[in-house]
């Protein structure tokens, strides 16, 4: 049997599948061009069996034609001719020196000199300890290989900012909230990228404050961009966020791809990527292993989100792999502004609490509709699919219990799972049943030797076709097959 060895050093951080896909399309040019552009090896192929390689490339070409689509074109590629280094502003990458002033001065220079096409701030190899800082428009934050931007654990260095208007208060506690580690508000044309350098939130001090109930205000996110447009985040490792990792809120045209997001499984509320009241968002080709939902689409919290009334819409989540004790791909539970037109496909989930989770609650209001999950693999999970109307807390006692959410037109198809203890649970609300639920071509197998629970459903209507184990009766009536007509 022949041997195929693939050695990968990739400036753009593409997955093995991605590089092979490009190679299958044009094996000569991809190697030649990448060598020319970056002057370091992209791909070294050792071919000891010509037949094996031909077979591999043939199969890869089929995958390219079938699956290798991308939404990343919603944000144009930018090239910055003006390049400055954090070391030019006194930055020291020794892991000890505090570099907050250096980052602030470098970004001030970008903001006020306004070079044509913007500027790139280069962070070389080393550990650059810093407090939180704000980005500016028309800039690229570029982390070289082995570069680490490390958050200071001194919580006194973290300023407070106002709560988001669609939340009305800090997500954890009343009042303001700590500014995110890397922050931006009202920006346009921002890129965070590099050669798989690391942004490390050093979140343990914050996690311990949460566990010990000594927090005074809501913990900071690792990266938060507010009211911003044309954002690209790629080829960076994010780790140990104090709270949510990447939080675009009130944003449009956002691309997050080729990122790795890491936090311990017991780290509280370390969501991976949370698009929030945002539109035209593309999340692709990433690995996420955290202590909370890998991706959670949100749109505001109870009465504050209802008044702010900005939905999340036009969101694509594709080729994401990960693990979490909570959800893989989630919608909610903060959905008061509405969530619509979401596609999640080609997702691989391992060691999960719940594979697919749509969650809302009384008091939320909002409409959740036209959500599609397709080609999902789940291995070792408590629940494969959960759609529930009783999840999440409230910001205060002023929420309206009569503000009931609407959840309809949900399609979940082509799902395969192993060691899934319960295939599904769908609990709508008595006065606001979930409608138009379509389950199609789903096979969620239990764990041998374990007590595997059946489907559970209430206050829901829809249809199920080729689902194993066979779901609850609310989804199997022949009179309701129209809910799945577009899936056949």
């Amino acid at each position: 049997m022949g041997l195929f060895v693939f050695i990968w050093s990739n400036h753009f951080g593409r997955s093995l599948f991605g590089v092979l896909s490009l190679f299958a399309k044009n094996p000569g040019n991809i190697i030649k061009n990448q060598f020319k552009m970056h002057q370091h090896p992209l791909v070294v192929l050792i071919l000891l069996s010509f037949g094996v390689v031909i077979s591999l490339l043939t199969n890869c070409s089929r995958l390219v034609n079938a699956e290798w689509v991308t939404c990343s074109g919603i944000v144009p590629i930018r090239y910055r001719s003006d390049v400055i280094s954090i070391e030019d502003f006194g930055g020291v990458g020794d892991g000890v020196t505090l570099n907050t002033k250096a980052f602030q001065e470098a970004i001030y220079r970008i903001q006020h000199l306004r070079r044509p096409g913007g500027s790139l701030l280069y962070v070389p190899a080393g550990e650059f300890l810093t407090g939180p800082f704000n980005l500016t428009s028309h800039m690229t934050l570029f982390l070289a290989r082995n570069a680490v931007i490390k958050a200071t654990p001194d919580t006194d260095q973290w300023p407070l900012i106002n709560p988001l208007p669609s939340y009305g208060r800090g997500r954890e506690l009343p009042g303001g909230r700590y500014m995110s580690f890397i922050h931006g508000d009202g920006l346009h044309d921002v890129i965070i990228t590099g050669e798989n350098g690391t942004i490390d939130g050093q979140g343990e001090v914050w996690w311990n404050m949460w566990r010990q109930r000594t927090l005074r205000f809501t913990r900071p996110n690792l990266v938060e961009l507010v009211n911003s447009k044309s954002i690209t985040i790629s080829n960076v490792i994010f780790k140990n966020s104090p709270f949510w990792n990447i939080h675009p809120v009130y944003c449009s045209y956002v691309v997050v791809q080729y990122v790795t997001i890491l936090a311990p499984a017991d780290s509280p509320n370390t969501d991976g990527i949370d698009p929030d009241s945002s539109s035209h968002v593309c999340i692709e080709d990433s690995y996420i292993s955290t202590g909370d939902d890998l991706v959670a689409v949100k749109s505001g919290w109870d009465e504050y989100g209802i008044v702010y009334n900005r939905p999340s819409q036009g969101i694509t989540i594709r080729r994401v792999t990960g693990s979490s004790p909570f959800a893989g791909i989630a919608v909610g539970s903060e959905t008061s502004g509405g969530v619509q037109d979401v596609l999640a496909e080609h997702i691989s989930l391992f060691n999960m609490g719940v594979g697919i989770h749509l969650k809302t609650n009384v008091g939320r209001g909002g409409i959740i509709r036209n959500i599609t999950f397709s080609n999902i693999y789940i291995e070792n999970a408590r629940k494969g699919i959960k759609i529930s109307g009783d999840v999440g807390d409230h910001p205060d006692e002023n929420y309206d219990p009569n503000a009931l959410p609407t959840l309809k037109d949900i399609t979940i198809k082509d799902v395969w799972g192993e060691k899934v203890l319960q295939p599904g649970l769908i609990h709508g609300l008595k006065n606001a049943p979930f409608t138009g639920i379509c389950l199609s071509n789903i096979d969620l197998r239990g764990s041998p030797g374990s007590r595997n629970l059946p489907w559970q459903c209430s206050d829901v209507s829809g249809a199920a076709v080729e689902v194993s184990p066979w779901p609850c009766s609310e989804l199997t009536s022949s009179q309701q097959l129209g809910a799945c007509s577009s899936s056949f």
Side-chain angles (χ1 to χ4, degrees), residues 197-248:
T198 299
I199 297 175
D200 185 351
Q202 296 210 98
E204 188 167 3
V205 62
W206 299 97
W207 307 335
N208 287 336
M209 291 169 66
W210 178 85
R211 292 170 181 137
Q212 296 160 11
R213 300 187 178 183
T214 57
L215 277 170
R216 294 179 298 161
F217 301 97
T218 296
R219 287 171 285 159
N221 301 308
L222 194 56
V223 176
E224 181 176 80
L225 295 166
V226 186
N227 291 310
S228 298
K229 182 178 181 180
S230 191
I231 308 298
T232 299
I233 302 174
S234 68
N235 308 101
V236 175
I237 299 168
F238 299 88
K239 62 186 292 189
N240 300 326
S241 175
F243 196 53
W244 301 344
N245 275 270
I246 299 174
H247 185 218

Side-chain angles (χ1 to χ4, degrees), residues 299 311-312 335-340 365-369 404-408:
S299 66
S312 278
T335 55
S336 299
V339 176
Q340 61 189 25
I367 300 175
I368 303 170
R369 64 183 174 192
L404 301 179
T406 298
L407 188 147
K408 63 180 182 178

Side-chain angles (χ1 to χ4, degrees), residues 353-400:
V354 181
I356 298 167
H357 196 180
L358 285 81
K359 45 187 173 176
T360 185
N361 207 341
V362 298
R364 293 288 195 261
I367 300 175
I368 303 170
R369 64 183 174 192
N370 195 21
I371 314 294
T372 299
F373 298 87
S374 175
N375 288 283
I376 314 291
Y377 176 72
I378 305 168
E379 182 177 304
N380 192 21
R382 293 195 308 273
K383 286 182 174 63
I385 298 165
K386 183 176 180 181
I387 307 175
S388 186
D390 61 355
V391 177
D393 54 354
H394 304 283
D396 50 43
E397 298 301 319
N398 297 320
Y399 75 93
D400 180 3

Side-chain angles (χ1 to χ4, degrees), residues 271-349:
D271 295 27
I273 305 169
D274 287 0
D276 198 339
S277 292
S278 293
S279 60
H280 306 294
V281 179
C282 171
I283 301 168
E284 290 183 332
D285 303 298
S286 296
Y287 177 81
I288 307 172
S289 178
T290 62
D292 213 312
D293 299 344
L294 306 185
V295 178
V297 182
K298 303 176 182 290
S299 66
W301 198 14
D302 284 8
E303 68 268 28
Y304 304 104
I306 293 172
V307 170
Y308 197 77
N309 192 31
R310 181 161 176 175
S312 278
Q313 57 188 349
I315 296 174
T316 300
I317 306 157
R318 180 183 288 125
R319 294 185 298 270
V320 170
T321 299
S323 61
S324 166
F326 286 87
I329 308 299
V331 173
S333 71
E334 305 90 333
T335 55
S336 299
V339 176
Q340 61 189 25
D341 302 327
V342 176
L343 170 65
E345 63 179 357
H346 303 294
I347 309 296
S348 299
L349 305 171

Side-chain angles (χ1 to χ4, degrees), residues 411 413 438-441 463-466 480-488:
T411 299
K413 62 182 181 178
C438 166
L439 306 180
S440 174
N441 190 27
V465 181
E466 296 183 358
Q480 298 170 329
L481 288 179
C484 273
S485 59
S486 63
S487 300
F488 300 149

Side-chain angles (χ1 to χ4, degrees), residues 154-183:
D154 181 1
T155 59
D156 291 336
Q157 298 287 327
W158 297 69
L160 291 174
I161 59 175
N162 290 328
L164 293 165
S166 59
Y167 283 74
R169 46 158 274 190
R171 184 59 185 84
E172 297 183 285
L173 293 167
R177 59 203 182 102
Y178 290 102
M179 172 181 158
S180 63
F181 180 46
I182 296 178
H183 194 80

